[in-house]
Amino acid sequence: MLYREAGQFKTSYQKDQAIFPIRQDRIAVWALLLAVFIAVPLLADDYWLGSIITPLLVLSLAAIGLNILTGYAGQLSLGTAGFMAVGAFAAYNLNIRVPELPLIVDFLLAGVFAAMVGMVFGLPSLRIKGFYLAVATLAAQFFIEWVFTHVGWFTNYSSSGVISAPPMHILGMTIDTAVEKYLLTLSVVAVLALGAKNMVRSRIGRSWMAVRDKDISAEVIGVPLLSTKLSAFGISSFYCGVAGALWTYCYLGTVEPAAFDLNRSFQVLFMIIIGGVGSILGSFLGAGFIVLLPILLNNIAAMIGHGTLQADTMANLEHIIFGGLIIFFLIVEPHGLARLWQIAKEKLRLWPFPY
Amino acid sequence: MSDLNFFFEVLIGGLLSGVMYSLVALGFVLIYKASGVFNFAQGSMVLFAALTFVGIMEKGIPFWPALVVALVVMMVLAVGIERVVLRPLVNQPQISLFMATIGLSYLLEGLGQGLWGTQVRALDLGIEDMPNETIQTMLGIQVSTFDIFSAISAALLVGLLALFFNKTRVGLALRAVADDHQAALAVGIPLQHVWAIVWAAAGLVALVAGLLWGSRLGVQFSLSLVALKALPVLILGGFTSIAGAIVGGLIIGASEKLAEVYIGTFTGGAVAAVENWFPYMLALVFLLVRPQGLFGDKIIERV
């Protein structure tokens, strides 16, 4: 009843190609943006903003990056965290070595560096496919982690191998409270997510999907494989790189290379599986699910167990539940939460008269 | 002590530890051959098997019965995996199956450690991890007795599996399924049984690998990371070849130890941990020349 597009006519191509063709969707999106930009900073406390919502947003960005590569271009990658590390360390080094550059430019250049590294490791994708490629991306993961751990220059010869983000200044403002960091993260993520959404709807996104569905067929109909695969690796790594920079600057503040280990890659991979492979919205839903579930589990355990459950039992239980959920999702709904959302919307359009 | 002797020591040590990688890689190959599933959970199965075995031993059960019980547990697990995870996912893209096995590996890690505890256990097979004196006096090279023992067990296991694959009726069915699922079904081979058998065989390999690795590293979480060492072995040798797993293991084992010693000295001594990424790089470069690995089936694509 409320969610029906009857009477909304599309009279121009522009309207036909809008991201949200239905008016109710547009209203909902604006309301959501207002809520996250104004209501959330007012209502949430520092713990929620700093320790839950900000990392959630950053990981969503990384998930969008991986989704571009795996969900849209079909190249399975296990090196996400490695590319995030490149972004984090590039932003740090740019910041302390070229202090003249504004911070936002640092972030973007960090993404560009990550993109370059990503393209180098994407080169084998032209010859190697499927699982062989997945294992090859592990090479990126381990090599990058090793370089940042063992080459002192990247950590500015810090004795502990840890980098600490210097204070952030944008346009003369100092960004140090949880609210300010949240708003910075949110702005970057919102802009980049919009960019990703538009990219996957345009020519480049369609060629990614053509390559994903069958690369030889794509080549036959004239999609250039080299530039398509490399652009997927590059843009995906760009997103991961910016996410890595934000992870360092807006969330942790102090980062060691081990923060970007293989488990982080898997975490992001799980996000896109649960959220929806090949969906921008799914990246957010998956990140929300994976970040919030452990917190929820902890709270439930605290309620039931009153502290009788030990930390390692909890960790094991979390592992079991995670693993079980992944399998469950793959069996029951291979397209993830995003697909459920879509089904709900379809149902809502007919409600309450389904005939 | 001459440089040449040192080189040979590193080389032989590497070759023998490569055999241990082959053992883990073998589990991957078995499952990939028969069902086209890239089983990321193999490392967790190694951990789970070792934990189960040690857990049973701690209950006061002697070695051989404990081994049998652990084997039975692995077989039940194999049948369970086939029933609960694989059967509903038949006909899904390979990538979904792969991701399901990542989930499975989390599940197994949690389950194993939840059941048997997270502390590090010692596992003593009664073989010393010391330089073998006979070889030392004969050739002047230090080689660990334990390495030799594990190499022999691996060789035995591979021999057994080769016999099983090539000489028995079940093995014939396995090879048929590996060749073509649909054709195998059409001639009346029960796919589900075959898969259960293959996973059970992979469980057996995991158990052996778990015992050998467990007695070297202690039975603990890091056992499951051994699988990460086996991956470059796998792509170097080819996913579909048992011989590839062995040869790949030998190459990776030897080259990573040599790299650790000779490249590692350039970049900062013993802590350089070159061996974490060197095998991957080696495999990556190798793949550029032969995308299907050393002995893998040639990848033919139809559009």
Side-chain angles (χ1 to χ4, degrees), chain B residues 16 26 28 35 113 145 150 152 156 163 169 171 177 186 188 198 202-203 213 220 244 248 250 254 262 281 290 296 301:
Chain B
L16 292 174
L26 204 58
F28 282 100
S35 54
Q113 299 190 35
T145 317
S150 56
I152 293 172
L156 274 178
L163 270 181
R169 211 177 152 73
V177 170
V198 169
W213 277 102
Q220 54 171 323
L250 293 178
Y262 291 101
M281 281 299 181
R290 269 184 81 87
E301 283 193 77

Side-chain angles (χ1 to χ4, degrees), chain A residues 212-247:
Chain A
R212 169 192 66 190
D213 292 342
K214 190 85 206 173
D215 55 353
I216 296 178
S217 316
E219 201 176 10
V220 168
I221 58 168
V223 177
L225 275 193
L226 177 71
S227 61
T228 308
K229 282 187 175 175
L230 283 191
S231 67
F233 266 97
I235 291 169
S236 154
S237 307
F238 176 85
Y239 275 75
C240 296
V242 175
L246 287 174
W247 190 255

